[in-house]
Amino acid sequence: MGERVELPWLDEPTFRCFGCSPRNRIGLALEMFRTDDGGLATDVTFTDEYASYPGVVHGGIVSALVDEVMGDLIALDRGMLAFSVTLRTKFLRPLRTRLPYRAVARIGREGNGVLHTEADVLAPDGEPHVMASAAYQPISSRQAADHMGLPAEDRERLAHYFDHAIG
């Protein structure tokens, strides 16, 4: 896998993302890497705290994993924050706790105001266990204020992430 990616928003003092923030004590604290083809990837081994059935990772946690890697790819490649408006996750095989997996994301197409992305979760032998696709809509500065409670001074500092148009 390629070079480790430093996520620029990790320095934000109020940032507690479940997927990638190291300051969220119950989160995944994912570290991202570039793939050779320009996508984004992360390696993860889930502990038993993320299980549904004994030894099986909860599907909602797996959905959070793929949503995180796809959303981070959009933020890094397009310089925008976006909400997932659809997320489809196809579970081919259960993910097991205490085993390593790699989640890999790529941007597919764009149009009608949304970006379409895809992600796979692969076992160490490269066998796909999960296939996901999603559509993301850019976050406007007004949505950041209304939905995220982002104060005006934070909106100004982070303005470059908001008010992008797609398609």
Side-chain angles (χ1 to χ4, degrees), residues 54-87:
V56 176
V57 181
H58 190 285
I61 298 296
V62 176
S63 293
L65 167 68
V66 294
D67 184 43
E68 182 68 31
V69 72
M70 290 186 287
D72 285 356
L73 178 60
I74 291 170
L76 290 168
D77 280 11
R78 300 299 173 91
M80 69 175 82
L81 298 180
F83 288 124
S84 52
V85 292
T86 64
L87 175 62

Side-chain angles (χ1 to χ4, degrees), residues 74-75 78-83 85 107-117 135-139 161 163-167:
I74 291 170
R78 300 299 173 91
M80 69 175 82
L81 298 180
F83 288 124
V85 292
I107 295 175
R109 58 185 172 81
E110 59 184 89
N112 296 327
V114 296
L115 275 169
H116 297 271
T117 58
Y136 289 85
Q137 178 181 12
I139 298 171
Y161 285 113
D163 300 320
H164 293 270
I166 296 175

